[in-house]
């Protein structure tokens, strides 16, 4: 199981969540507090400026209200308006005010504070703010600007009033006394620096930011502690799950409390106990199944519901010639080479068994595959079990049985048909014909003898198959025995066929049943004579192999020969290379088969070598006699 990194763990998520839960309200509160603080500081600053200007305004109104000489230059105390205004401004506390100008009704500057630009005194100052104040006669809303140095400043103008008496007229047009009226006679123009206000706000924000950082740091530490407290049991359960995955159910998870995580740990331990019992049960069943599968002679293949192989025992591996690692996960239909017969795996539901041909070259292999569907309790298909059996020998025996029955039927039917037709001819009156009757009877007799030979050969083969026969062995000098058998054939052949002998000079002792071995030699020599051409030569060769302790007996002819692909089949029952010619020569097709059975019973071997057009050589072996033995049955 891959280890979970810190940046992917739930611990980091807990820390982030706790930090955000604290940081978000702090930021909202901080933003609201900063905005409200800025507004309040600006209001307090403007109020402070306004209070100071109100006091100044009263003094300036008094100065503007004094009576002057007719030329308007001096008052009773001998000061001009400009001098008195400048005197008032010199005594004014202009803290936070960077520039303060007093203008008359004609927008001419008549006074300025020491911090102001003195060059503007006596000049006309046609600023829009001043013009609106002189015209409208009210305090203009403050305007925040940025000077050339990048400092924020507050710009504001205040009107200066003076009371004047005017005549009041009635609606009738008559004069009715005098009344006082305020008239704008000047204005105060100020510029106040806001840097102090914003500097103070910045200091407060800095203090708030430091507090926020401290609070977030503490929350992160608390988050680590809380997250560790929450995730520690989960981490332990994760490690324990990894141990359980490896098959170790001996350990348990610690329970740290009675909360949800504690209950989860309790449930986890209960699951561990149940899995331990289940694992033990499953392991026992698996061992039983493994033992059964290993000791089965049949091959077993298990698949999942898709038809992919998940299990195969050793016998199945031997039959298919493939290891489980090579076929695991492969489709069953492809491995069994039946995908051309079945389109999909579910087609096996309708099949109980299939014969599959796995033959390669001369190596014949026939397998019988039986299929069983594996289902869940709800009858839902879970997979398939395939049992493989080697039925090569059974199929071969069954095929040989069918061929044997067919051959016997054919061999018996031919002479019987001939006899029936001849006997019917005789019964219809041909028996009175002295020329035809003897000839027909002779044919009937020959066919009868042929059937007797066939039946005798079949009985003999039946006894050999059932091991229902005995060998009466005795010590025999095979050289003299062989000469005696061969002379019988040589006397009857006149000069039509020549015989050559290549025999050892000394005696060769073997332990044989003379009657059975005489039958073997009769069958082989008879075949050599039948298939030899007129004037051909038959060669007898006996050779002693001392190292092998065997006697090799070979009988060769100069007949038509046997094709190479048919050479191994001449010892099979009823097999004939040329059926028509063999039947005409009177053979039953069982002679060589009987000979092979008898030679096998003597512990020898038999085989044939041949070339088409050059003849055939049949060779068999017999064990040499090592020491005298009694008769054996």
């Amino acid at each position: 199981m891959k280890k979970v990194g810190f940046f992917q763990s739930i611990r980091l998520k807990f820390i982030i969540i706790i930090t955000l839960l604290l940081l978000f309200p702090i930021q909202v509160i901080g933003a609201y507090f900063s905005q409200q603080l800025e507004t309040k500081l600006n209001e307090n600053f403007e109020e402070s400026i306004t209070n100071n200007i109100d006091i100044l305004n009263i003094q300036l109104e008094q100065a503007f209200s004094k009576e002057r000489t007719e030329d308007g230059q001096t008052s009773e105390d001998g000061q001009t308006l400009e001098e008195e205004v400048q005197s008032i401004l010199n005594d004014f506390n202009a803290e936070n005010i960077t520039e303060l100008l007093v203008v008359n009704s004609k927008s001419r500057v008549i006074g300025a504070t020491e911090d102001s630009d003195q060059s503007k005194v006596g000049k006309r100052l046609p600023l829009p703010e001043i013009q609106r104040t002189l015209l409208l006669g009210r305090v203009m809303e403050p305007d925040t600007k940025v000077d050339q140095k990048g400092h924020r400043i507050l710009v504001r103008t205040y009107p200066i009033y003076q009371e004047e008496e005017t005549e009041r007229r009635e609606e009738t047009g008559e004069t009715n006394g005098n009344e006082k009226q305020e008239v704008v006679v000047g204005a105060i123009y100020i510029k106040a620096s806001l840097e102090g206000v914003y500097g103070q706000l910045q200091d407060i924000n800095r203090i708030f930011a430091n507090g926020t950082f401290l609070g977030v740091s503490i929350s992160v530490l608390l988050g680590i502690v809380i997250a560790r407290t929450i995730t520690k049991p989960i981490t332990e359960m994760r490690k324990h799950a990894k141990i359980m995955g490896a098959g170790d159910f001996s350990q348990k998870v610690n329970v740290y409390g009675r909360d949800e995580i504690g209950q989860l740990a309790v449930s986890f331990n209960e699951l561990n106990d149940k899995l331990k019992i289940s694992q033990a049960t499953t392991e026992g069943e698996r061992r039983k199944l493994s033992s059964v599968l290993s000791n089965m002679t049949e091959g077993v293949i298990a698949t999942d519901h898709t038809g992919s192989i998940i299990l195969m025992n050793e016998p199945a591996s031997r039959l298919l010639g493939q290891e489980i690692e090579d076929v695991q996960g492969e489709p069953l239909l492809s491995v069994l080479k039946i995908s051309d017969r079945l389109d999909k795996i579910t087609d096996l539901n309708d099949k109980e068994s299939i014969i599959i041909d796995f033959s390669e070259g001369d190596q014949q292999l026939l397998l019988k595959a039986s299929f069983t569907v594996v289902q869940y309790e709800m009858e839902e298909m879970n997979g398939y079990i395939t049992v493989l059996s080697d039925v090569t020998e059974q199929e071969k025996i069954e095929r040989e049985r069918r061929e044997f029955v067919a051959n016997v039927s054919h061999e018996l039917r031919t002479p019987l048909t001939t006899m029936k037709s001849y006997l019917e001819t005789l019964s219809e009156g041909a028996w009175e014909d002295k020329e035809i009757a003897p000839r027909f009877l002779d044919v009937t007799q020959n066919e009868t003898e042929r059937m007797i030979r066939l039946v005798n050969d079949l009985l003999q083969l039946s006894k050999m198959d059932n091991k229902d026969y005995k060998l009466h062995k005795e010590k025999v000098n095979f050289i003299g025995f062989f000469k005696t058998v061969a002379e019988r054939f040589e006397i009857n052949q006149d000069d039509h066929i020549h015989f050559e002998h290549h025999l050892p000079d000394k005696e060769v002792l073997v332990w044989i049943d003379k009657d059975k071995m005489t039958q073997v030699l009769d069958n082989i020599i008879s075949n050599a004579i039948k298939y030899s051409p007129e004037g051909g030569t038959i060669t007898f060769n006996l050779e002693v192999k001392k190292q092998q302790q065997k006697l090799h007996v070979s009988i060769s002819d100069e007949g038509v020969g046997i094709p190479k692909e048919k050479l191994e089949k001449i010892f099979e029952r009823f097999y004939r290379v040329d059926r028509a010619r063999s039947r005409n020569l009177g053979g039953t097709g069982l002679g060589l088969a009987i000979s092979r059975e008898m030679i096998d019973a003597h512990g020898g071997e038999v085989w044939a070598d041949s070339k088409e057009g050059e003849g055939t050589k049949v060779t068999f072996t017999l064990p040499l006699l090592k020491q005298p033995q009694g008769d054996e049955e």
Side-chain angles (χ1 to χ4, degrees):
M1 185 182 295
K2 186 178 179 181
K3 184 178 180 180
V4 179
F6 175 75
F7 293 100
Q8 297 175 336
S9 66
I10 193 174
R11 185 179 302 176
L12 177 62
K13 296 177 182 177
F14 272 119
I15 295 172
I16 293 175
I17 291 172
I18 294 174
T19 304
L20 290 177
L21 288 176
L22 178 63
L23 186 61
F24 181 74
I26 289 177
Q27 290 300 314
V28 173
I29 294 172
Y32 177 77
F33 175 77
S34 178
Q35 182 182 5
Q36 295 297 318
L37 180 62
E38 181 182 359
T39 302
K40 192 65 178 178
L41 289 176
N42 283 330
E43 289 177 354
N44 292 338
F45 182 78
E46 292 176 8
E47 184 179 357
S48 174
I49 295 296
T50 300
N51 291 334
N52 290 334
I53 295 300
D54 288 343
I55 297 173
L56 177 63
N57 200 345
I58 294 173
Q59 294 176 348
L60 291 174
E61 286 181 356
Q62 292 176 356
F64 273 90
S65 300
K66 288 183 179 182
E67 294 183 358
R68 307 291 174 181
T69 58
E70 293 181 356
D71 56 6
Q73 296 298 321
T74 60
S75 60
E76 294 179 356
D77 55 5
Q79 288 183 326
T80 63
L81 179 61
E82 288 80 358
E83 290 176 348
E84 189 171 354
V85 169
Q86 187 63 47
S87 175
I88 293 172
L89 293 178
N90 290 337
D91 295 335
F92 178 70
N93 183 13
E95 184 180 0
N96 295 326
I97 298 177
T98 59
E99 185 176 17
L100 190 152
L101 302 175
V102 178
V103 298
N104 58 16
S105 58
K106 297 180 181 179
S107 300
R108 186 172 61 84
V109 179
I110 60 175
T113 58
E114 295 179 356
D115 297 333
S116 302
D117 186 2
Q118 296 296 326
S119 63
K120 294 180 181 180
V121 178
K123 296 181 181 179
R124 190 172 180 273
L125 194 63
L127 295 176
E129 299 90 339
I130 296 176
Q131 296 298 326
R132 287 195 296 270
T133 300
L134 293 174
L135 180 63
L136 300 176
R138 68 172 182 265
V139 180
M140 301 305 296
E141 292 297 327
D143 184 17
T144 303
K145 296 183 179 181
V146 179
D147 62 10
Q148 294 178 353
K149 296 181 180 180
H151 296 163
R152 285 164 290 191
I153 59 175
L154 178 68
V155 178
R156 199 166 188 181
T157 57
Y158 299 87
I160 301 174
Y161 298 99
Q162 181 180 356
E163 292 183 353
E164 293 184 356
E165 292 184 358
T166 59
E167 294 182 352
R168 183 178 64 187
R169 295 181 180 273
E170 299 291 341
E171 294 179 357
T172 58
E174 296 181 357
T175 302
N176 186 19
N178 297 329
E179 64 179 5
K180 293 183 179 180
Q181 183 178 2
E182 291 185 344
V183 180
V184 178
V185 294
I188 303 173
Y189 175 78
I190 67 166
K191 288 183 180 179
S193 175
L194 294 173
E195 290 303 315
V197 173
Y198 284 99
Q200 185 180 4
L201 180 63
Q202 186 175 2
D203 291 340
I204 294 174
N205 287 337
R206 186 181 299 110
I207 294 172
F208 186 82
N210 292 335
T212 301
F213 177 76
L214 180 61
V216 170
S217 300
I218 294 174
S219 69
V220 169
L221 295 176
L222 290 175
I224 293 174
V225 175
I226 295 173
R228 181 177 178 82
T229 302
I230 296 175
T231 59
K232 183 179 179 181
I234 299 176
T235 303
E236 289 187 3
M237 281 187 278
R238 175 183 173 273
K239 293 180 180 179
H240 189 68
K242 186 176 180 180
I243 295 174
M244 289 171 58
D248 184 2
F249 300 95
S250 59
Q251 302 181 23
K252 290 189 176 183
V253 177
N254 295 323
V255 180
Y256 293 98
R258 297 182 180 181
D259 55 5
E260 289 82 354
I261 296 180
Q263 294 299 318
L264 177 61
V266 173
S267 300
F268 196 90
N269 289 332
E270 292 176 355
L271 176 63
N272 179 75
D273 295 337
K274 292 180 180 179
L275 285 176
K276 184 177 181 180
I277 298 173
S278 178
Q279 175 72 9
T281 304
T282 303
E283 182 64 20
E285 295 299 325
R286 188 193 66 80
R287 290 179 179 177
K288 293 178 183 178
L289 178 60
S290 178
S291 177
V292 170
L293 291 177
S294 299
N295 292 282
M296 287 182 65
T297 56
E298 291 83 5
V300 178
I301 302 175
T303 70
D304 58 15
H305 66 282
T306 64
S308 299
I309 296 176
I310 58 176
L311 177 66
M312 184 171 72
N313 66 351
E314 185 61 28
S317 177
R318 289 197 304 269
L319 291 173
L320 297 177
Q322 300 185 71
E323 298 295 332
I324 178 61
E325 294 80 7
D326 300 329
V327 300
Q328 193 166 18
E330 295 294 322
L332 176 66
L333 301 183
S334 299
V335 174
L336 295 183
K337 300 178 181 179
I338 56 175
S339 54
D340 55 337
R341 300 195 220 174
L342 304 175
D343 295 331
K344 50 185 180 300
I345 190 66
T346 53
D347 292 342
L348 292 178
N349 297 343
D350 302 328
K351 300 286 185 181
E352 292 185 359
S353 63
I354 297 177
I355 301 297
I356 308 172
D357 189 356
F358 275 85
S359 302
E360 293 183 0
D362 296 336
Q363 188 68 30
Q364 190 176 20
L365 177 60
L366 296 176
L367 300 181
K368 180 181 180 182
S370 302
F371 306 102
T372 303
V373 180
V374 180
Q375 295 178 330
Y376 289 120
E377 294 181 358
M378 302 302 293
E379 296 186 356
E380 181 182 354
M381 194 270 287
N382 184 33
Y384 295 90
I385 297 295
T386 304
V387 179
L388 298 178
S389 304
D390 186 354
V391 294
T392 305
E393 289 299 322
Q394 293 91 317
E395 289 294 316
K396 182 179 180 181
I397 292 172
E398 179 62 21
R399 186 178 65 253
E400 290 178 350
R401 185 191 66 78
R402 291 193 298 267
E403 292 178 355
F404 180 78
V405 171
N407 288 329
V408 170
S409 300
H410 183 73
E411 293 295 334
L412 290 174
R413 184 180 59 186
T414 300
L416 287 173
T417 302
T418 303
M419 291 172 61
K420 179 182 178 183
S421 61
Y422 276 70
L423 290 174
E424 287 177 350
T425 304
L426 290 173
S427 65
E428 291 174 357
W431 62 274
E432 296 179 351
D433 191 330
K434 295 182 179 181
E435 294 182 1
I436 296 177
R439 185 159 51 88
F440 278 20
L441 290 174
D442 185 52
V443 171
T444 303
Q445 184 177 359
N446 290 335
E447 292 298 329
T448 302
E449 292 175 354
R450 179 181 173 186
M451 283 194 297
I452 292 173
R453 290 197 303 272
L454 177 61
V455 171
N456 289 335
D457 289 343
L458 289 174
L459 290 174
Q460 189 168 11
L461 281 173
S462 177
K463 290 181 179 181
M464 291 180 175
D465 290 338
N466 296 323
K467 306 301 180 184
D468 188 19
Y469 68 95
K470 298 178 181 179
L471 293 179
H472 301 280
K473 292 183 179 181
E474 57 183 300
K475 182 172 66 173
V476 176
N477 177 15
F478 196 81
I479 303 301
F481 169 74
F482 184 81
K483 289 180 179 179
T484 303
V485 175
E487 285 178 356
R488 290 192 288 106
F489 291 93
E490 293 176 3
I491 293 173
N492 296 328
Q493 294 302 317
D494 298 330
D495 294 329
H496 299 293
I497 295 177
H498 303 286
F499 294 90
E500 290 186 3
H501 295 261
H502 300 282
L503 308 178
D505 295 334
K506 58 182 180 180
E507 65 178 10
V508 177
L509 298 178
V510 292
W511 193 259
I512 61 173
D513 184 325
K514 293 177 66 176
D515 291 338
K516 299 294 188 294
M517 194 53 58
T518 299
Q519 188 175 359
V520 170
L521 292 174
D522 284 349
N523 289 334
I524 298 175
I525 296 174
S526 297
N527 281 339
I529 294 173
K530 288 177 185 178
Y531 294 102
S532 292
E534 186 74 21
T537 301
I538 294 178
T539 303
F540 303 132
N541 184 61
L542 273 68
E543 185 178 0
V544 176
K545 303 286 186 179
K546 291 185 178 181
Q547 292 182 349
Q548 302 176 4
Q549 285 295 305
K550 289 184 178 181
L551 170 65
H552 284 232
V553 181
S554 299
I555 301 169
S556 306
D557 61 53
E558 296 178 347
V560 295
I562 302 172
K564 184 177 181 180
E565 65 273 8
K566 299 180 179 180
L567 198 58
E568 294 295 329
K569 298 181 180 180
I570 63 174
F571 295 99
E572 296 179 3
R573 301 174 185 185
F574 291 109
Y575 183 81
R576 295 187 179 93
V577 178
D578 186 345
R579 293 183 178 273
R581 185 179 178 207
S582 299
R583 190 172 289 111
N584 292 333
L585 293 174
T588 63
L590 298 175
L592 290 179
I594 293 173
S595 299
R596 182 180 64 180
E597 295 291 338
M598 291 182 175
I599 291 172
D600 289 343
H602 280 79
E605 298 176 290
V606 61
W607 67 90
D609 299 299
S610 180
K611 290 184 180 180
E612 289 189 78
E614 296 183 9
T616 303
K617 179 173 73 171
V618 177
T619 305
F620 66 89
T621 65
L622 291 173
L624 293 175
L625 181 63
K626 294 182 179 180
Q627 60 184 6
Q629 300 183 29
D631 288 351
E632 179 179 324
E633 293 188 355

